[in-house]
Amino acid sequence: MDSWALLYFSMMVVIATAVQTITGFALGLILVALCTAFGVMSVIDCAAIVSLVSMMNTGLLLRRSYRDLNGHVVMAIMLGLIPTLLLGFYWLDQVGRDQVSLLRTIIGAMVLVAGMTLMLRPSPYSSLSAKPFFIGSGLVGGLFGGLFSAAGAPIAYLMYRQPLAISVIRSSLLAVFFLSTFVRAVTGGFAGHYTPDVLIKTLIAAPVMLVTTMLIEPTLPAIPDQVVRRLVFLCLMALGLYLLLAP
């Protein structure tokens, strides 16, 4: 990867991190989508980088908030997530290398769904969902976590409908994302995905993500929530349609 490609990749990390900071999810999805749309690197390499960077990010955040997480909910989600994560990873590793067009279509559809989900404002349930619902969200999220290291959207949507404190929801999501990216990173290590080139790009992405988060977080209260949602929604729609329709 030459210096211009590194610059483009760093800019993509900034964009993906900004969306993650604003919405609470989609770093992996946006980064994989951008890399795929502009041909910066393969889906396999990008997903491997996202796994390591997300694991570091969520691990650091959990150091202060792990006491708030709901262990029963986290374990139920992970019960569904791990099997399908491994299945998605296996499919990507064995078949996905030769199915670039199909992967591009799946990523584009996921970006569109994530954008539409962002504009929904569902009211919380009156009581905590039954265990099978958490397992089900883990099953769906795990498949996309294995494919693209992007398990967040279905799990976050269900969690934010629970009658729980925001701190509990946030910490529980961080725990799920930490565990899922840890499992994927270990699996990727055994599969040989962490080449020297991937590790170098990870070392570039990590500080870029950290600095971007630190710069954006203080400005969030001053930006109207609806304006932010609409802006991110339009960006996600444009990116998703480009992935689906561009030759």
Side-chain angles (χ1 to χ4, degrees), residues 53-71:
V53 171
S54 295
M55 184 177 67
M56 288 186 286
N57 184 39
T58 53
L60 286 172
L61 292 171
L62 274 172
R63 287 193 308 166
R64 297 181 179 179
S65 62
Y66 71 93
R67 294 182 181 85
D68 292 330
L69 65 86
N70 186 314

Side-chain angles (χ1 to χ4, degrees), residues 62 65-72 74 167-169 171-173 175:
L62 274 172
S65 62
Y66 71 93
R67 294 182 181 85
D68 292 330
L69 65 86
N70 186 314
H72 295 294
V74 171
S167 60
V168 175
I169 292 173
S171 297
S172 299
L173 285 173

Side-chain angles (χ1 to χ4, degrees), residues 81-185:
L81 185 147
I82 291 178
T84 52
L85 185 148
L86 296 175
L87 178 64
F89 182 92
Y90 177 81
W91 188 88
L92 177 67
D93 189 55
Q94 299 298 317
V95 182
R97 299 174 189 271
D98 302 319
Q99 299 288 337
V100 176
S101 179
L102 177 59
L103 288 174
R104 184 185 178 100
T105 300
I106 294 172
I107 296 168
M110 286 180 63
V111 171
L112 289 177
V113 171
M116 289 184 285
T117 301
L118 184 64
M119 293 305 292
L120 297 177
R121 305 297 292 270
S123 57
Y125 296 132
S126 59
S127 60
L128 196 68
S129 295
K131 186 175 180 180
F133 287 96
F134 293 111
I135 296 175
S137 72
L139 285 169
V140 178
L143 183 62
F144 296 121
L147 283 170
F148 311 121
S149 195
I155 299 171
Y157 180 77
L158 178 64
M159 285 298 296
Y160 276 104
R161 298 205 67 177
Q162 303 307 311
L164 299 169
I166 291 298
S167 60
V168 175
I169 292 173
R170 183 174 180 273
S171 297
S172 299
L173 285 173
L174 286 173
V176 168
F177 298 153
F178 173 79
L179 292 171
S180 65
T181 51
F182 175 79
V183 171
R184 198 190 189 286

